[in-house]
Amino acid sequence: AAMLITLSLSAQENIVNLMGGYAFANIEDSDIKATGYRINGSYEFNPLAGNIAHGIAFGYINVKAEEVIGAQTVEITVGSIPIYYAPKLMFGNETIKGYAKLAIGTQFSSIKKSGVVSLSDNDFGFYGGGGAGIIYNISEKVFINAEYEIAWLSNSWYKDGWMNSAMAGIGFRF
């Protein structure tokens, strides 16, 4: 029994992934396109080093836009901290793997508007979407990856919207 437990523990992979990149959002019920950046971290558990991994991800997203109302320009800044479960299905060979993932969780957001009228608010809500990416294994323990993710952010007090991000990063297996 001890040998089976040792064998199954050595067959699992624990993965830490750090990414960053470009983010852009389409804010619901408006023509505003906000752009900015995203940083993201994740921990994944890959049982038996197979094609399915279970992950927990968190990060920070910051996007800005300008809206012209009459003769006035209003600057809008949205910050969000998503925390979500991210199961991943991987396919490919030992060097290059593709993957598709889901993102289901929550997010804490803030919005600031400055201009003629200034306001700020904080809220939380649903975070859900999916993504796809590619992994290139540099060694047995280190890899680089690139990913695109789209997610729906809902907030009860201000606009909902689709958040898109294109990121690249580095990951470590242990």
Side-chain angles (χ1 to χ4, degrees):
M3 190 168 135
L4 288 176
I5 291 171
T6 304
L7 182 61
S8 67
L9 287 175
S10 66
Q12 77 184 25
E13 288 183 330
N14 294 298
I15 301 166
V16 173
N17 194 19
L18 305 170
M19 300 180 78
Y22 177 70
F24 59 100
N26 299 319
I27 299 172
E28 184 181 65
D29 297 334
S30 71
D31 292 329
I32 299 171
K33 306 287 188 238
T35 61
Y37 66 92
R38 177 176 184 170
I39 54 175
N40 215 55
S42 66
Y43 167 78
E44 295 176 6
F45 171 75
N46 188 344
L48 304 176
N51 292 334
I52 297 175
H54 302 277
I56 299 294
F58 60 93
Y60 179 72
I61 305 168
N62 185 286
V63 293
K64 293 181 180 182
E66 289 187 349
E67 182 178 24
V68 177
I69 302 171
Q72 304 295 324
T73 300
V74 176
E75 184 176 284
I76 301 168
T77 303
V78 176
S80 183
I81 299 172
I83 302 169
Y84 56 95
Y85 170 61
K88 186 183 286 183
L89 175 63
M90 296 178 284
F91 49 89
N93 60 41
E94 292 299 316
T95 305
I96 298 175
K97 290 186 181 251
Y99 64 86
K101 73 171 196 171
L102 293 176
I104 302 167
T106 190
Q107 48 81 25
F108 301 90
S109 292
S110 65
I111 188 169
K112 294 178 186 169
K113 288 186 177 186
S114 59
V116 176
V117 176
S118 294
L119 75 93
S120 65
D121 193 13
N122 296 301
D123 202 359
F124 70 95
F126 176 75
Y127 184 92
I134 190 164
I135 296 169
Y136 178 76
N137 290 309
I138 296 172
S139 71
E140 187 178 310
K141 299 289 183 185
V142 180
F143 63 90
I144 57 175
N145 65 342
E147 171 180 295
Y148 172 78
E149 181 181 293
I150 183 168
W152 178 253
L153 283 72
S154 69
N155 293 287
S156 59
W157 296 107
Y158 55 87
K159 300 292 185 187
D160 299 335
W162 288 102
M163 183 67 67
N164 300 267
S165 55
M167 300 180 290
I170 188 164
F172 305 93
R173 292 182 187 90
F174 55 96

